Amino acid sequence: MMRFGLIAPVLLASALAFAAPDSLLIDVLGTGSSFQSPAGIWWSKKIKKAPVVVWFHGGMSSGNCAKGLVAGADFAELYPEKIVVSVSACRENHWVTPAAIAAVDATLDSVAAKRGAPVERVSLVGVSDGSLGVLVYSLEGRRAVEDRLLVSSFGAFLGGPLELAAPKKMHVGRFRFLQGGKDRLYPSDQTVPWITEFCKAVQVDCELRFDPEGEHDWSYWKGKRMEWIRDAIRK
């Protein structure tokens, strides 16, 4: 069980010109250390009834600790009817750490406070190692999960597929994996067997969609396989 210290979402000054319509600075205070995660939020016009999607960016261990401010913009354009939340992770506070998962839930708390309605269920999208965030949030996050989209993922970083599929929190919602035969970082001969075994074991609607020409980056999937993205995150 993960344990977190004080978590305080703080609004950034409006003078800072970020791409997101709304920006938060999430403070996560743990034992002897603190972590600030800048987050972007794209609001739907029907704010109180809009479903919420969390975007987990790639490059989770890079030196850019403010990716979340802009990372979700491209996806938010595809789904203007949803509230899209994009939190930042980097280096020591990457997606597999308690602090990053705490920052996601703290941001969702802020969304709930602004719209005056609780956020009880979310959908999750992860690209590259952001897909690890989808899996870890599914296990450790405070919200129930509906749809999951994992693009160019490598779940073996977290362990074996049977082990990861076993917890009850994984037996809720759907999984959609998009994987490519020309992925330069995660070769399909390693990723496809893992995903196949995971889908067999997880006991819910789980599907791998494989494109032999598929590349690693989100731009390929958006440009070539939009129908798969649309199917994964339902309206």
Side-chain angles (χ1 to χ4, degrees), residues 2 4 35 56-57 60-61 88-102 104 128-137 139-140 154-159 164:
M2 294 182 176
F4 308 119
F35 165 48
F56 293 84
H57 65 71
M60 69 178 186
S61 59
S88 299
C90 67
R91 291 186 177 170
E92 291 85 3
N93 301 298
H94 52 73
W95 293 127
V96 189
T97 61
I101 299 304
V104 172
S128 187
D129 50 15
S131 295
L132 301 178
V134 171
L135 295 171
V136 175
Y137 187 87
L139 291 167
E140 303 291 349
F154 194 30
F157 283 138
L158 298 178
L164 202 64

Side-chain angles (χ1 to χ4, degrees), residues 59-80:
M60 69 178 186
S61 59
S62 75
N64 180 0
C65 297
K67 280 189 175 183
L69 289 172
V70 297
D74 197 41
F75 181 81
E77 290 180 359
L78 304 178
Y79 286 92

Side-chain angles (χ1 to χ4, degrees), residues 147-206:
D147 294 332
R148 303 170 182 86
L149 173 60
L150 300 94
V151 181
S152 303
S153 63
F154 194 30
F157 283 138
L158 298 178
L162 302 184
E163 174 189 6
L164 202 64
K168 290 183 178 180
K169 291 190 73 173
M170 286 297 201
H171 303 167
V172 177
R174 305 192 314 166
F175 292 85
R176 291 293 182 269
F177 292 85
L178 307 189
Q179 212 69 24
K182 293 185 178 180
D183 191 314
R184 69 186 187 281
L185 295 183
Y186 303 147
S188 59
D189 61 346
Q190 299 177 38
T191 58
V192 169
W194 191 97
I195 295 169
T196 300
E197 288 301 311
F198 177 85
C199 282
K200 288 180 180 178
V202 78
Q203 303 178 29
V204 293
D205 184 356
C206 182

